[in-house]
Amino acid sequence: MISTDPFTASAWSRSVARSYSGPPEKDSERFLERLLQIGAAEPGQVLLATSDQTAWLYTLNADLLKQYFLLSQASIDSMRKLLDKQLFTEAVI
């Protein structure tokens, strides 16, 4: 878990084995850089998206992230349909 705030709900989980400091998710370039540093130092960790922002970032960079992390990521088309409210509405009608 990368967190810039020790008071986030994820920091309270009994299941968190370790946490890492990092830039905010909205700074996607630096956030991705930090993830890759963590992955290179400790490969094989599970990486799960915790927001729309990280879901999109992980989807766009899945091939790169899969070098270091266990990652299950939907395709770009699927994520676009999930995150774009108009496309999502069209998909369910």
Side-chain angles (χ1 to χ4, degrees):
M1 171 188 76
I2 293 182
S3 176
T4 55
D5 181 359
F7 301 109
T8 60
S10 59
W12 305 335
S13 173
R14 289 176 285 175
S15 301
V16 171
R18 57 180 80 89
S19 63
Y20 305 94
S21 62
E25 295 172 1
K26 63 184 173 187
D27 188 351
S28 57
E29 188 174 316
R30 287 183 46 228
F31 190 84
L32 180 61
E33 271 181 33
R34 182 64 178 127
L35 274 176
L36 294 173
Q37 290 171 350
I38 292 166
E42 298 184 58
Q45 297 185 72
V46 175
L47 183 62
L48 299 173
T50 56
S51 68
D52 289 355
Q53 183 93 20
T54 57
W56 185 248
L57 181 67
Y58 299 172
T59 297
L60 292 179
N61 296 282
D63 289 338
L64 188 57
L65 292 166
K66 285 180 181 179
Q67 294 177 37
Y68 302 110
F69 294 97
L70 300 175
L71 179 70
S72 177
Q73 203 60 43
S75 70
I76 289 175
D77 288 337
S78 295
M79 288 305 295
R80 188 173 282 124
K81 286 179 184 173
L82 286 170
L83 298 175
D84 181 303
K85 302 312 176 209
Q86 182 174 347
L87 292 176
F88 182 77
T89 301
E90 291 169 6
V92 296
I93 292 178

